Amino acid sequence: MAADDRLEDDELARRLREAHRRVRMLPAAEKDRLARRYLAICDLAKRDPERAAARLDAFLAALDTPRSEENALGD
């Protein structure tokens, strides 16, 4: 493993920890669904860090979106 790859993995790990912290703080109704999605991203990170990073970007963006906007988009 090259040193550059290690730095990218550390960045992914840092972002996964941040996502975990944010999911933990959610109300129970939202937490269950989002925790399952978060765990799927963590599992993917073991096999394909690049795809996991892309999914994590989308996941974090969804966390940043107010729930009323998500409902208007059909989620």
Side-chain angles (χ1 to χ4, degrees):
M1 176 183 275
D4 291 340
D5 292 339
R6 177 84 174 123
L7 291 175
E8 291 174 15
D9 290 346
D10 288 344
E11 177 65 16
L12 179 58
R14 185 193 62 73
R15 293 177 60 226
L16 285 168
R17 283 190 304 271
E18 172 64 18
H20 179 259
R21 183 190 63 77
R22 292 179 63 186
V23 169
R24 266 193 347 237
M25 296 181 345
L26 294 171
E30 293 179 58
K31 187 186 299 188
D32 290 341
R33 179 179 60 86
L34 292 173
R36 285 190 300 273
R37 188 172 166 195
Y38 168 76
L39 288 174
I41 294 168
C42 289
D43 186 52
L44 180 61
K46 297 173 194 174
R47 294 176 277 120
D48 190 346
E50 289 181 15
R51 278 184 55 205
R55 288 193 181 179
L56 183 58
D57 288 340
F59 181 72
L60 291 171
L63 286 176
D64 290 337
T65 303
R67 190 67 184 150
S68 59
E69 284 184 36
E70 283 183 17
N71 289 337
L73 295 174
D75 185 26

